[in-house]
Amino acid sequence: MNTVEEFQQRLMTQATLAFPGRKMVLGEGVLGGKICMIGEAPGAEEEKQGHPFVGKAGKNLTEFLNAVGLNRDDLYITNVVKIRPFRLSPKTGKPINRPPDTQEKGFFTPFLLEELDIVNAEYIVTLGNVPLKAVMQKEAITIGEVHGRLLISPSGKKVFPLYHPAAVIYNQKLSAVYGEDLQKLKQLL
Ligand code: URA
């Protein structure tokens, strides 16, 4: 079994070649624990601080976790894409977030699947469509259809899909659904 250090070193080396000059935000947290949580990609704040889910979506995630008695320190948290996907705003010329593209997802997904083996958590909790599709290795699956249900990934891992916490910020109707899904997750644990 590869160690997390060896894995991260190899990921950094290869990602630096593929995406030169880009800051990387790696996964972090408990190995062999109950939950590995996976987001889409880091945003501006995550890139600045070098940690996953420390910006607005992270604050939302932490509140939801606390509401069901879970703590960030009990988990491993990572993203599918380890660099911040951005484009330049036509108005300000400054970088703004965009969804990860096919090249970014294609490069980082095999690393994510390897990371999941190393992290070896009992449950994988995907946040939104990007990690769901990556872990289930299926483009046709969508979060609207499978959220709050236990799935088994092609490699035999237990996967519990949640909406992305940022989607909940922008859609209040999802808030109640999100709360229910988290309760289901809590009952599973
Ligand atoms: N959104 C994500 O998907 N990941 C982060 O790390 C932050 C925001």
Side-chain angles (χ1 to χ4, degrees):
M1 172 67 92
N2 293 329
T3 64
V4 75
E5 290 81 14
E6 184 278 330
F7 164 75
Q8 288 183 340
Q9 205 45 256
R10 189 158 33 83
L11 167 59
M12 299 270 271
T13 306
Q14 293 189 30
T16 304
L17 289 173
F19 303 96
R22 303 292 295 281
K23 191 167 166 188
M24 220 93 67
V25 179
L26 300 178
E28 58 189 29
V30 179
L31 302 182
K34 280 255 175 213
I35 296 182
C36 173
M37 227 164 223
I38 314 172
E40 182 176 299
E45 194 55 33
E46 285 76 21
E47 184 184 51
K48 193 165 140 201
Q49 295 191 35
H51 298 284
F53 281 104
V54 289
K56 199 171 172 197
K59 189 170 168 275
N60 226 29
L61 179 65
T62 305
E63 281 171 11
F64 274 119
L65 290 174
N66 293 346
V68 292
L70 287 169
N71 193 309
R72 260 187 86 116
D73 300 339
D74 305 332
L75 326 167
Y76 184 93
I77 305 190
T78 192
N79 283 300
V80 178
V81 169
K82 267 67 171 178
I83 53 172
R84 176 192 180 196
F86 73 91
R87 62 190 173 86
L88 297 180
S89 158
K91 273 196 198 147
T92 64
K94 290 190 181 150
I96 49 176
N97 294 344
R98 60 162 171 78
D101 64 24
T102 308
Q103 188 211 355
E104 291 159 341
K105 288 185 283 191
F107 176 86
F108 284 106
T109 295
F111 285 103
L112 174 73
L113 299 178
E114 197 184 334
E115 186 178 12
L116 296 182
D117 283 337
I118 295 168
V119 172
N120 193 28
E122 194 175 341
Y123 292 95
I124 291 168
V125 176
T126 53
L127 304 172
N129 270 317
V130 172
L132 173 66
K133 289 170 196 269
V135 170
M136 296 306 290
Q137 293 171 61
K138 192 174 170 185
E139 197 47 43
I141 197 165
T142 65
I143 186 66
E145 290 162 3
V146 299
H147 68 90
R149 279 201 243 152
L150 192 62
L151 308 175
I152 303 295
S153 78
S155 62
K157 293 187 167 44
K158 289 187 248 177
V159 179
F160 192 84
L162 287 178
Y163 280 103
H164 193 284
V168 183
I169 300 177
Y170 299 114
N171 181 347
Q172 276 306 311
K173 269 190 251 158
L174 281 186
S175 200
V177 178
Y178 204 68
E180 285 165 21
D181 288 352
L182 273 170
Q183 286 299 340
K184 286 186 207 157
L185 173 63
K186 196 181 176 195
Q187 276 157 23
L188 269 182
L189 297 174

